[in-house]
Amino acid sequence: RIGWQGVALALALGVACAVAVHWKIPVLRQIVGGYIELFRNTPLLVQLFFLYFALPKIGVRISAETCGKLGLLGGAYMAETFRSGLENIPIIQTESAQSLGLRPAQVFGYIILPQAVTSSVPGLLANLIFLLKETSVFSTISLMDLMFTAKDLIGMYAKTIECLTLLVAFYLIMLLPVSILGSWLERRLRYAEFGN
């Protein structure tokens, strides 16, 4: 559950950051750029340790569940994916919509954003699967997840091969439908020629 909440937050954060960069909002653009570089170039494990173990030293306490839901790493990846989708839209589409009298918000909401999301689908699905797999590191901050449960079972029953085989099976059960659905969605969007 926490993994999906983190993914939802990452999507929302990614869209907001991509829009800030795309619209070239002066100060916010630099802040977002720094955030993206920081979280894309540091491992999730290091980020979790910093949030969970280092911040309490300066009086900021964040629960393990909140650390798992923050979605900061995912937000940085999603932002870059959405940004590339926005930049993929030819400028002539914006100019054509403006010549028809559409306001900037209408141009973005009705013309640019739907096409950008459509062209970003492959990257978004890859990020989604990546983020759901990364939940395996949550066990390092004592957050209950599949890996945490598998380690507990190995400790109790000393059946390493069986537990790890089940772990692989459960990740496949969780991620294979996402991958299949994503491939189907990508084919449908390509067939409909959205974004072209």
Side-chain angles (χ1 to χ4, degrees), residues 163-173:
C163 290
L164 291 178
T165 302
L166 278 174
L167 181 65
V168 169
F170 280 122
Y171 270 109
L172 276 174
I173 289 168

Side-chain angles (χ1 to χ4, degrees), residues 3-4 128-139 143-150 163-179:
W4 286 106
L128 174 65
I129 291 170
F130 165 73
L131 290 174
L132 290 173
K133 286 191 297 184
E134 284 295 294
T135 58
S136 63
V137 303
F138 288 167
S139 62
L143 191 59
M144 184 70 77
D145 72 319
L146 287 174
M147 190 67 186
F148 188 93
T149 306
C163 290
L164 291 178
T165 302
L166 278 174
L167 181 65
V168 169
F170 280 122
Y171 270 109
L172 276 174
I173 289 168
M174 185 172 69
L175 295 173
L176 200 55
V178 175
S179 180

Side-chain angles (χ1 to χ4, degrees), residues 65-88:
E65 290 81 9
T66 304
C67 288
K69 291 176 189 174
L70 282 176
L72 293 172
L73 172 75
Y77 278 95
M78 295 296 187
E80 283 296 280
T81 304
F82 278 122
R83 183 192 58 76
S84 67
L86 288 169
E87 290 181 357
N88 193 35

Side-chain angles (χ1 to χ4, degrees), residues 34-105:
Y35 153 72
I36 290 171
E37 293 306 321
L38 174 66
F39 282 92
R40 284 182 70 218
N41 294 304
T42 54
L44 177 59
L45 186 60
V46 174
Q47 294 169 21
L48 286 175
F49 277 12
F50 182 81
L51 294 171
Y52 191 68
F53 296 113
L55 288 185
K57 301 293 184 186
I58 58 171
V60 180
R61 298 199 174 276
I62 302 176
S63 69
E65 290 81 9
T66 304
C67 288
K69 291 176 189 174
L70 282 176
L72 293 172
L73 172 75
Y77 278 95
M78 295 296 187
E80 283 296 280
T81 304
F82 278 122
R83 183 192 58 76
S84 67
L86 288 169
E87 290 181 357
N88 193 35
I89 308 303
I91 191 66
I92 193 164
Q93 298 215 17
T94 302
E95 293 168 350
S96 300
Q98 287 171 341
S99 71
L100 293 172
L102 293 177
R103 294 188 302 274

